Amino acid sequence: MQVFKAFYKSLRRQITSVLLYVIAFAAISVIMANTMSENTDTLFTAKRLTVAVFDHDNTDESRVLYNYLDRTQNLTSIKDDNEAIADELFFRNVDYVLIIPDGFSENPDSLKNVKQQNSSYAYFLDNSINTFLNVFFNFRNTGYSCDEAARLTDDCIGSVEEATLLSDTRQDDVQITVQNIERYFHYLPYIFIATVITSLGGLLLIFREKNVNYRIRCSAVSAVHYNTALALACLTYSILLWLVFMVLALTVCGKGLLSVRGLMLVINSFVFLLVSVGITYLISFLAYNPNILNMWSNVIGLCMSFLCGVFIPMEFLGKNVIKAAHFLPAYWYIRTDELCTQYTGTSGELKTYTMYLGIQLLFAFAAFSAALVISRYKKDSVL
Amino acid sequence: MFLRLFLYRLKSIFLQKDLTFWTLAFPLILGTFFYLGFGRLLNGTELELNTIPAAVVTVHENTAFETVLKEVEKSDGKALFDLTFTDEDTAIAMLKENKATGIFYVDATPHLTVAENGMEQTLMQSFLSQYCTQSSVFEKIAAEHPEKLADSIDFLSKRHSYGSEISLADASYDPYMQYFYALIAMCCLMSVSSGVECIGTALANLSSLGMRRECAPTRKSVMILSDLAAAFVLQSVGVFLLFFYLTVILKLDFGNRLGLSFATALMGTLFSLAAGVFIGIAFKCSMHIKMGIALVFMMVNSFFAGLMAATMKDWIEHICPLFNRINPAALISDSLYALNMYPSLTRFARNMGILAVMTLVLCFISGLILRRSDYASL
């Protein structure tokens, strides 16, 4: 038990830096859970944006477009100057700028726009303008006058019914706060990898330090006993870390976590924690310096998160990228996460869930095994 | 003396092969994986769609809608929807069991029911909107101008896209470049740990090497500045390699002001070194904790600049815009964006000015703390 005790003595001495990492990444996980929000009660809700329109064409067609935007958005006037437009966008006085150039009525493709960076509502407005113009120019080509075409376009677009969200699709007893639970657990792979590698990795580096390592190997403690004690220490530390994040999950997600789906997500997160510990154990043999350890944590954490659908939805990734992602544990975590959020209680789903957990456990086992092989290689190469 | 110390420090940095390799390779590795993740989106490649399973419930007969549902195809020629015609109860059960993404109700005015938000549900609603709009159009044209109906169908089926987003600086712009701007910002902020290390090897209370160097007759300012200059050279080489890799190998478009973009990154590196020195001096704790503070500083600032989630900077801009004005990662990524998007250099100059002022303030405070401190004995 001496190795186990030595681990926790080291932890006590480095508690400040460990707490620093844990608090920072815990804060990031909470912010991510609360800010990546979409309204799930109503679908595709268009928002009235603050729009500036510069009509250089001044024809009937351009005025129709102007009037459409006047009815559906909040129009504002700004100076017609690139620098002024840039400043207004920067200070968020305007969300979308539409420039109707001279000759628009003959060549509608010449329309230009500048919009807020990464605003989904602005892209939605793009779509609305395209739909309006498609229908409007179709009526114009048929022979209707501008005013008549505009009136008919409004009638046709107004005839669309919005999709209905089926309520009561969940079979759980407790109403789940779907948004927060899904988002909190969705980003956990990055949080776990980054936190475990930086905090636990830093503690393991103490044991990998050359002179300490030599003294341990000279001792009466066998390699098996030493590795077992160290692995147990890592595991218990990680479980404590995991409990901290689960208590945080309870605060963020509320009673919604206390459900079948919530429990499945919690178990999934625990299994991925084991994967993170395995990866950290392996990395601790490859990094000899806290700087290099930090770089490993960023490379593994960020790259796995981008390639496995954590930060970018999987439907946007290429087929080859998804095929390659099958060899990364975070991919299986995300697949399990998606299954949990849509779980309806069938035995087939439960079987698939168990299979995905098993795959993640295999990754953890592989990482631990690779770590033991490397430790054996390093031992033999020195002696 | 400065030159001698600078050259020796540079030599000792490059002799630490592992650390040098990681400092130079880390940004390239991240950039490669970002490109692999975003590659398709950057090239504007059309997303590949899977066939969407949908249940169909007939309320009132609408042959036209049913025909369109069956015949609508994806760009690869395969059917867009995998349809199951059934009754309402079975359809709802299918929706709850996730065997169908949505239920189309065949009616005089067709409508859609879904279980949740998502890309496939958005596609289904978009399809329905398009159908309802177009069928209203065709009904009106068929009633009043039947001879124009064929042309109208042909026109609307093409689904023309009007206009395009422009850059005010007459450069092309891709919204996913924001992730690469944040990546460059994070790579600049990596220099914080180099700054902390420079102080760690210069101060007697932090390392045995620091003790020996404090005993030397060389002025502390010359020693620290030469160390920082050497660290700056290494980081600059790393940033240059990153720009070269992103623009020449990966062929990403950083606009036509590459020189100023590189200068932005250098300014960011300078700030990070100054921040590292400040962290090394101001916090009275072990080197381990200082390095932890440096790492947290880098990750938190990069996170709020949108490295992991593109909308983060936008969210901060709404809640606390002042934070975006002092977050170095946000200033760097914003400068890179402004150079690409806006013709005037005002915004770029404003951000660089803020960075320069913060650098000077940090240097000044660090100098105040360090000056005239001496050891009676070591």
Side-chain angles (χ1 to χ4, degrees):
Chain A
M1 287 302 284
Q2 280 180 326
V3 176
F4 189 93
K5 281 197 291 194
F7 178 91
Y8 278 96
K9 273 187 188 162
S10 311
L11 174 63
R12 208 170 22 214
R13 261 196 294 187
Q14 294 199 4
I15 193 71
T16 316
S17 57
V18 166
L19 278 176
L20 201 62
Y21 297 134
V22 172
I23 290 169
F25 285 112
I28 288 175
S29 69
V30 169
I31 292 170
M32 272 177 161
N34 285 312
T35 56
M36 310 304 170
S37 61
E38 297 287 341
N39 189 342
T40 55
D41 289 335
T42 52
L43 288 164
F44 336 115
T45 315
K47 196 175 141 184
R48 286 179 80 98
L49 301 180
T50 308
V51 177
V53 182
F54 298 111
D55 185 359
H56 300 302
D57 192 35
N58 213 19
T59 55
D60 291 335
E61 283 83 0
S62 66
R63 276 190 285 274
V64 162
L65 178 57
Y66 184 95
N67 291 337
Y68 166 71
L69 290 170
D70 196 17
R71 281 193 307 279
T72 56
Q73 311 297 322
N74 299 324
L75 287 194
T76 186
S77 304
I78 60 175
K79 203 168 148 201
D80 188 358
D81 170 65
N82 275 355
E83 195 159 330
I85 294 171
D87 279 344
E88 297 290 349
L89 279 167
F90 177 68
F91 290 114
R92 293 181 183 271
N93 296 330
V94 71
D95 298 313
Y96 191 101
V97 176
L98 186 71
I99 302 162
I100 308 174
D102 190 20
F104 164 74
S105 54
E106 283 91 43
N107 178 23
D109 289 335
S110 57
L111 207 58
K112 293 184 183 10
N113 68 77
V114 192
K115 45 188 177 276
Q116 284 295 350
Q117 204 183 0
N118 297 115
S119 166
S120 51
Y121 292 114
Y123 284 107
F124 187 80
L125 179 56
D126 271 343
N127 207 31
S128 304
I129 291 173
N130 275 331
T131 305
F132 178 84
L133 289 175
N134 267 307
V135 175
F136 172 74
F137 281 113
N138 184 43
F139 280 122
R140 287 288 285 145
N141 292 343
T142 310
Y144 290 97
S145 69
C146 249
D147 291 339
E148 193 59 23
R151 187 187 62 77
L152 288 169
T153 305
D154 286 338
D155 289 343
C156 292
I157 289 175
S159 70
V160 177
E161 271 189 37
E162 282 193 9
T164 315
L165 197 67
L166 184 71
S167 62
D168 196 28
T169 54
R170 313 292 180 182
Q171 294 179 355
D172 303 319
D173 295 333
V174 181
Q175 188 67 32
I176 296 176
T177 314
V178 173
Q179 295 177 16
N180 283 356
I181 290 177
E182 283 181 5
R183 280 196 303 278
Y184 183 85
F185 282 92
H186 185 82
Y187 294 107
L188 271 189
Y190 170 72
I191 301 293
F192 273 176
I193 288 174
T195 317
V196 174
I197 291 181
T198 47
S199 61
L200 180 60
L203 291 169
L204 285 173
L205 277 188
I206 297 170
F207 290 85
R208 307 287 178 237
E209 199 265 314
K210 194 169 73 171
N211 292 321
V212 173
N213 204 9
Y214 285 168
R215 287 199 293 271
I216 291 170
R217 286 207 222 137
C218 287
S219 72
V221 174
S222 70
V224 171
H225 183 99
Y226 165 69
N227 279 317
T228 310
L230 197 58
L232 199 63
C234 292
L235 209 58
T236 48
Y237 165 79
S238 307
I239 290 172
L240 285 170
L241 194 67
W242 175 74
L243 284 171
V244 165
F245 279 97
M246 290 305 108
V247 166
L248 208 58
L250 208 57
T251 333
V252 167
C253 309
K255 279 191 236 170
L257 199 62
L258 306 171
S259 62
V260 173
R261 280 207 191 88
L263 184 64
M264 289 170 77
L265 287 168
V266 165
I267 294 171
N268 188 29
S269 71
F270 181 75
V271 168
F272 194 80
L273 177 85
L274 297 177
V275 174
S276 307
V277 173
I279 292 172
T280 305
Y281 206 75
L282 174 62
I283 298 301
S284 67
F285 287 106
L286 303 174
Y288 58 86
N289 183 301
N291 272 340
I292 294 176
L293 190 73
N294 295 334
M295 290 188 197
W296 272 110
S297 94
N298 277 313
V299 166
I300 294 174
L302 287 173
C303 296
M304 218 190 284
S305 302
F306 275 102
L307 296 180
C308 295
V310 177
F311 295 143
I312 314 173
M314 240 184 269
E315 47 259 32
F316 292 122
L317 297 173
K319 270 193 184 147
N320 292 332
V321 172
I322 292 181
K323 274 186 200 160
H326 279 68
F327 294 97
L328 298 171
Y331 171 81
W332 298 103
Y333 174 89
I334 294 296
R335 291 285 298 270
T336 320
D337 186 65
E338 284 169 1
L339 193 146
C340 294
T341 52
Q342 292 160 11
Y343 180 66
T344 51
T346 61
S347 62
E349 283 174 324
L350 206 57
K351 206 172 154 186
T352 311
Y353 172 76
T354 318
M355 184 179 77
Y356 288 166
L357 289 183
I359 293 172
Q360 288 180 71
L361 285 170
L362 279 174
F363 275 106
F365 178 73
F368 270 117
S369 309
L372 291 174
V373 165
I374 291 176
S375 89
R376 184 67 192 241
Y377 166 75
K378 284 201 166 202
K379 177 183 165 186
D380 289 345
S381 68
V382 169
L383 299 171
Chain B
M1 179 51 73
F2 173 86
L3 192 61
R4 186 186 169 85
L5 288 172
F6 166 76
L7 287 171
Y8 272 107
R9 181 66 176 177
L10 208 57
K11 200 173 167 185
S12 76
I13 285 173
F14 281 103
L15 280 173
Q16 295 175 50
K17 293 189 179 71
D18 281 358
L19 196 60
T20 308
F21 167 77
W22 269 109
T23 307
L24 299 177
F26 168 73
L28 305 181
I29 295 169
L30 270 187
T32 308
F33 280 107
F34 273 34
Y35 184 79
L36 286 174
F38 289 121
R40 299 167 70 239
L41 301 169
L42 282 167
N43 296 331
T45 314
E46 208 179 279
L47 293 175
E48 286 160 32
L49 303 169
N50 294 323
T51 301
I52 303 170
V56 183
V57 172
T58 305
V59 178
H60 287 110
E61 205 170 303
N62 187 337
T63 323
F65 182 61
E66 279 188 31
T67 312
V68 170
L69 266 180
K70 287 173 192 168
E71 291 181 1
V72 65
E73 288 173 350
K74 300 182 284 173
S75 55
D76 59 4
K78 295 185 185 159
L80 179 58
F81 298 117
D82 176 16
L83 300 169
T84 307
F85 288 80
T86 183
D87 58 276
E88 188 167 10
D89 290 337
T90 314
I92 290 175
M94 282 176 69
L95 190 61
K96 286 182 182 178
E97 288 166 20
N98 215 29
K99 288 180 182 160
T101 308
I103 306 172
F104 282 118
Y105 288 89
V106 178
D107 203 346
T109 306
H111 49 277
L112 171 70
T113 297
V114 295
E116 58 185 358
N117 240 334
M119 197 175 87
E120 289 188 343
Q121 288 82 353
T122 308
L123 272 167
M124 293 176 86
Q125 171 65 12
S126 176
F127 163 79
L128 187 68
S129 301
Q130 207 177 324
Y131 173 82
C132 291
T133 306
Q134 286 184 6
S135 64
S136 294
V137 170
F138 299 147
E139 265 174 35
K140 291 189 190 333
I141 292 177
E144 292 170 27
H145 292 278
E147 72 285 0
K148 297 278 187 178
L149 186 61
D151 289 340
S152 176
I153 292 170
D154 186 51
F155 182 86
L156 281 183
S157 65
K158 289 190 180 109
R159 187 91 184 119
H160 196 76
S161 196
Y162 294 92
S164 52
E165 184 170 7
I166 56 163
S167 154
L168 295 168
D170 289 329
S172 66
Y173 172 68
D174 194 313
Y176 291 96
M177 286 299 292
Q178 184 270 329
Y179 284 102
F180 289 93
Y181 298 153
L183 170 68
I184 292 170
M186 187 180 89
C187 294
C188 295
L189 287 188
M190 272 168 50
S191 309
V192 175
S193 52
S194 300
V196 175
E197 239 179 83
C198 286
I199 291 298
T201 56
L203 297 187
N205 57 329
L206 292 177
S207 65
S208 50
L209 175 61
M211 264 192 230
R212 292 194 292 274
R213 293 180 93 194
E214 286 257 30
C215 290
T218 317
R219 284 177 63 182
K220 215 183 296 181
S221 56
V222 173
M223 253 192 325
I224 293 175
L225 281 173
S226 59
D227 287 356
L228 289 175
F232 180 73
V233 165
L234 175 68
Q235 297 295 342
S236 304
V237 169
V239 166
F240 174 78
L241 279 175
L242 178 64
F243 267 98
F244 179 83
Y245 182 69
L246 293 177
T247 51
V248 175
I249 311 291
L250 298 183
K251 295 193 185 349
L252 296 175
D253 186 6
F254 277 83
N256 45 18
R257 295 173 184 168
L258 212 53
L260 287 176
S261 301
F262 184 62
T264 306
L266 290 181
M267 187 69 226
T269 307
L270 259 177
F271 168 83
S272 304
L273 284 170
V277 167
F278 178 75
I279 290 170
I281 292 168
F283 292 92
K284 302 293 175 204
C285 49
S286 69
M287 275 299 289
H288 200 87
I289 296 174
K290 287 179 209 263
M291 293 299 263
I293 294 171
L295 173 71
V296 167
F297 177 81
M298 179 184 87
M299 290 312 302
V300 168
N301 281 313
S302 301
F303 168 70
F304 283 115
L307 179 68
M308 292 134 205
T311 55
M312 188 50 59
K313 206 163 83 169
D314 189 64
W315 181 72
I316 295 290
E317 194 64 38
H318 283 107
I319 298 183
C320 182
L322 178 65
F323 184 70
N324 271 346
R325 306 292 168 269
I326 58 173
N327 176 357
L331 288 170
I332 295 166
S333 78
D334 196 58
S335 300
L336 293 170
Y337 170 75
L339 283 171
N340 200 6
M341 276 298 284
Y342 302 127
S344 153
L345 294 176
T346 314
R347 189 162 153 183
F348 163 78
R350 192 165 37 214
N351 291 338
M352 288 299 101
I354 295 171
L355 261 183
V357 165
M358 291 200 304
T359 307
L360 287 171
V361 166
L362 287 172
C363 289
F364 179 71
I365 297 173
S366 306
L368 271 181
I369 299 172
L370 267 179
R371 73 188 274 272
R372 297 192 185 213
S373 70
D374 221 340
Y375 285 87
S377 68
L378 280 169

